[in-house]
Amino acid sequence: MKNILPLLVFILVFGSCAAQNTNTSANDSRPKLVVGIVVDQMRYDYLTRFESKFGNGGFKRMMNEGFNCKNNHFNYVPTYTGPGHASVFTGTTPKYHGIISNNWYDKEIKKVVYCAGDDSVESVGTQSAAGMMSPHRMLTTSFADENRLFTQMSGKTIGVAQKDRGAILPAGHTADAAYWFHGADEGVWVTSSFYMETLPNWVKKFNKSDAAESYFKDWVTLYDIATYEESGADENDFEGGFRGKETATFPYELDKLKDQNGGFDIIKYSAYGNSLTTDFAIAAIEGEDLGEDEITDVLTVSYSSTDYVGHNFGVNSKEVEDTYLRLDKDLERLFDFLDKRVGNGEYTVFLTSDHGAVNVPSYLQSVKIPAGYLDYNDRKAKFTAFLEATYGTKDIVENVSNNQIFFNKAKLKELGLNIHEIEQALVDEQISYPNIAKVYTATTMNSTNYSTGIEVLLQNGFNQKRSGDVIVVDDIAHIAYSRTGSTHGSGLNYDTHVPLLFMGKGIKKGHTFEKTVIPDIAPTMSALLGISFPNGSTGNVLGFVFD
């Protein structure tokens, strides 16, 4: 017995130490902070087009120190902001997470709803309705939610963006907070009662500072505009510009133009909106003590000004180029701060986009590339005439939006019409219209398992409860938009091919041309953290990015 006791003591002590070492090792393998960055409307080729002018601390640092997935795509339609942010962080597509557009027609309540709108909550930080938002329409968890569950709600999640949907959807359902910028005549960062009843002191302090007002200054190019050879002429016929300024050319005197362009909103439409977002993100890291202990926190940051500038000035503009060169400096500033605050090698960052953008069709036409503009009013008139001539009423269609046709099921039943026959009749009619490339029915989306082509993307974006009865696909590079500026939404490469960069703890240096898709990001981050995948995740773990 005396010989056995020392052995038992040894086993108990060694086993306890081994268990502690195992737990410590598991904790040591996880980053203290994950920063998920979404650059709104960033095409992949912006990385290569502007690379020679980037510094070494922003985009290039991620490419040189981290892992670059060079053939990364969205695998669904439509490529809009709401679905994009939801898909990045949930690891699935609108088919499952339910964010089928920024706005969509709700078949149950018979009205258009906003992806983040929520009448059941109150604004916090403003008296306006700008804060009446929440993630309640997103049906699945994000990897940030899963991290919260894994850490017994000890790991924090904070979402930051100028756009409400860009802050709310990535942060998920269990976030400590999501903050977005309310411009107009206030220029403050706000949230909703979904998260809290009053703003934290650090946010109040930030709002009382002159941080926003400081960007009412001249927007001039970061470098000599003559060196911006990667973009078209500064003055051309393909850009929108600002009210109160005759030409869409540098410089832009934001302080003089603000009253005619939405007050503080003009900051969002300039490169400085991203700088303001970086200011606030840094304040959030400090104010919330993110990355201060061994329990992983998550910060989501969406840079929205790239989208606003792209819509206004177009893919080929010097304004877009300057916005990315300035964003590069903001990323460097953010990474430098993380190095000092959290520790170089103690955090992990990924960067991607919510969609790309088409080059301005009028510009494409000028260089003899097929492109054009859609006349939805003409299309609507033809369709209405067809319905009335064929069925005696236009009321069998309840709504047409987001390239989808929604039936009035009650009217079909009243008239004794077969829904499947009507589906096919509308397909045959719509495909005869100019600039419509393909038309599909809900029945086809639900019953056919596609493996290639645009049909796969349509199917991944089709939610049986929320999507329409007939889906229309427009011709390549044809948009319903003004003849100036860029937009997005299609399943074509200019909208689907976006960056995917990883850097930091657990990430190796390298690159791949292997195709990756947006839903791969969330399960990859979940695998890095050793947590459950988001509950609706359909993506794959990109194991080749791990060190």
Side-chain angles (χ1 to χ4, degrees):
M1 195 68 179
K2 291 181 180 179
N3 292 330
I4 295 175
L5 283 174
L7 178 61
L8 290 174
V9 171
F10 173 78
I11 292 172
L12 288 172
V13 172
F14 179 80
S16 175
C17 291
Q20 290 177 10
N21 288 337
T22 299
N23 290 335
T24 301
S25 176
N27 288 336
D28 286 346
S29 68
R30 298 188 186 105
K32 293 181 178 180
L33 177 65
V34 171
V35 183
I37 300 173
V38 177
V39 182
D40 205 321
Q41 201 188 121
M42 184 175 185
R43 292 162 50 119
Y44 173 80
D45 64 350
Y46 290 164
L47 276 183
T48 53
R49 182 172 147 205
F50 305 137
E51 184 175 6
S52 65
K53 286 190 171 59
F54 289 148
N56 292 320
F59 288 113
K60 274 188 179 178
R61 177 177 174 183
M62 295 197 75
M63 290 188 282
N64 293 335
E65 293 183 13
F67 201 95
N68 185 356
C69 298
K70 298 183 177 183
N71 189 21
N72 183 62
H73 289 261
F74 281 88
N75 63 339
Y76 66 83
V77 176
T79 43
Y80 294 141
T81 298
H85 283 79
S87 298
V88 168
F89 288 86
T90 64
T92 191
T93 69
K95 181 177 183 178
Y96 298 106
H97 64 58
I99 304 298
I100 62 171
S101 188
N102 293 333
N103 303 274
W104 67 85
Y105 181 70
D106 189 308
K107 294 183 282 190
E108 293 184 10
I109 62 176
K110 310 297 183 185
K111 70 176 185 179
V112 174
V113 297
Y114 175 56
C115 63
D118 190 346
D119 292 339
S120 72
V121 299
E122 301 296 329
S123 298
V124 176
T126 177
Q127 295 299 310
S128 75
M132 296 176 66
M133 306 288 168
S134 84
H136 76 108
R137 288 194 170 93
M138 190 167 73
L139 303 176
T140 61
T141 61
S142 70
F143 82 80
D145 285 324
E146 297 299 336
N147 186 63
R148 291 275 285 160
L149 294 171
F150 181 85
T151 62
Q152 301 302 311
M153 301 297 171
S154 296
K156 284 188 174 182
T157 297
I158 304 293
V160 172
Q162 288 177 66
K163 294 181 181 180
D164 47 51
R165 58 188 181 272
I168 291 167
L169 299 175
H173 302 276
T174 60
D176 296 270
Y179 301 103
W180 51 97
F181 185 67
H182 173 52
D185 59 349
E186 294 188 69
V188 292
W189 291 83
V190 303
T191 188
S192 92
S193 60
F194 179 84
Y195 305 99
M196 63 192 71
E197 296 304 316
T198 185
L199 291 174
N201 288 333
W202 70 266
V203 179
K204 292 178 181 178
K205 180 181 177 181
F206 190 96
N207 285 339
K208 288 179 180 177
S209 73
D210 64 350
E213 286 88 343
S214 70
Y215 292 109
F216 283 142
K217 59 183 180 180
D218 291 356
W219 179 16
V220 296
T221 54
L222 183 62
Y223 306 116
D224 182 352
I225 196 170
T227 67
Y228 283 30
E229 297 175 347
E230 300 80 8
S231 304
D234 190 29
E235 186 169 0
N236 57 68
D237 297 328
F238 315 117
E239 302 175 10
F242 294 109
R243 287 185 292 274
K245 191 175 191 306
E246 188 172 336
T247 59
T249 55
F250 282 105
Y252 297 97
E253 300 174 287
L254 301 187
D255 191 46
K256 292 182 179 179
L257 294 170
K258 67 179 187 294
D259 292 340
Q260 298 181 64
N261 293 274
F264 282 96
D265 283 340
I266 198 172
I267 297 172
K268 299 190 295 187
Y269 285 83
S270 76
Y272 299 139
N274 292 329
S275 299
L276 178 61
T277 301
T278 305
D279 296 341
F280 191 79
I282 289 173
I285 295 167
E286 289 184 311
E288 298 289 344
D289 292 325
L290 299 181
E292 290 295 301
D293 57 32
E294 301 304 315
I295 300 174
T296 302
D297 299 321
V298 176
L299 173 67
T300 74
V301 182
S302 179
Y303 285 107
S304 309
S305 286
T306 43
D307 185 67
Y308 290 121
V309 173
H311 276 292
N312 191 358
F313 296 96
V315 167
N316 201 45
S317 65
K318 294 194 186 303
E319 287 80 1
V320 160
E321 177 167 359
D322 192 69
T323 298
Y324 277 90
L325 298 183
R326 289 183 177 277
L327 175 58
D328 183 58
K329 296 297 183 185
D330 284 316
L331 290 174
E332 181 175 5
R333 180 159 62 97
L334 176 62
F335 297 157
D336 285 347
F337 177 80
L338 288 168
D339 286 343
K340 294 174 184 176
R341 179 83 180 192
V342 181
N344 191 352
E346 294 297 332
Y347 63 90
T348 305
V349 183
F350 71 81
L351 182 148
T352 189
S353 181
D354 56 347
H355 53 74
V358 65
N359 223 314
V360 181
S362 56
Y363 167 69
L364 294 178
Q365 290 173 332
S366 74
V367 293
K368 301 180 181 179
I369 292 176
Y373 294 89
L374 305 171
D375 188 342
Y376 277 176
N377 289 329
D378 180 63
R379 190 181 290 182
K380 179 181 178 180
K382 288 182 178 179
F383 188 45
T384 299
F386 163 78
L387 293 174
E388 291 177 340
T390 307
Y391 304 105
T393 178
K394 64 179 182 179
D395 294 340
I396 65 169
V397 169
E398 205 164 65
N399 178 269
V400 179
S401 56
N402 290 319
N403 277 29
Q404 298 178 38
I405 299 170
F406 295 80
F407 290 159
N408 182 334
K409 305 292 176 60
K411 192 67 176 179
L412 291 180
K413 186 175 181 180
E414 175 190 325
L415 296 175
L417 298 173
N418 182 287
I419 188 170
H420 300 300
E421 293 177 358
I422 299 300
E423 278 184 335
Q424 191 56 51
L426 266 55
V427 167
D428 294 340
E429 174 65 15
Q430 289 281 324
I431 198 65
S432 70
Y433 295 168
N435 304 129
I436 290 182
K438 295 176 181 290
V439 189
Y440 297 91
T441 67
T443 299
T444 301
M445 289 293 108
N446 289 324
S447 61
T448 306
N449 187 22
Y450 294 107
S451 59
T452 59
I454 187 68
E455 293 80 6
V456 175
L457 278 66
L458 291 168
Q459 201 161 43
N460 286 337
F462 182 85
N463 183 282
Q464 190 173 6
K465 293 277 285 187
R466 295 181 173 179
S467 298
D469 299 288
V470 175
I471 304 170
V472 175
V473 180
D474 293 317
D475 278 349
I476 295 172
H478 282 69
I479 59 175
Y481 205 67
S482 68
R483 294 186 67 83
T484 58
S486 297
T487 193
H488 48 87
S490 80
L492 296 156
N493 285 324
Y494 50 73
D495 282 335
T496 68
H497 191 192
V498 297
L500 177 54
L501 303 170
F502 296 92
M503 181 185 75
K505 189 165 191 176
I507 304 300
K508 72 180 180 183
K509 178 180 177 180
H511 70 268
T512 184
F513 288 103
E514 179 180 332
K515 186 171 184 179
T516 60
V517 293
I518 287 295
D520 294 338
I521 299 171
T524 299
M525 299 311 300
S526 297
L528 177 69
L529 298 180
I531 62 177
S532 293
F533 293 2
N535 58 19
S537 176
T538 55
N540 296 311
V541 175
L542 304 178
F544 48 75
V545 310
F546 295 145
D547 190 3

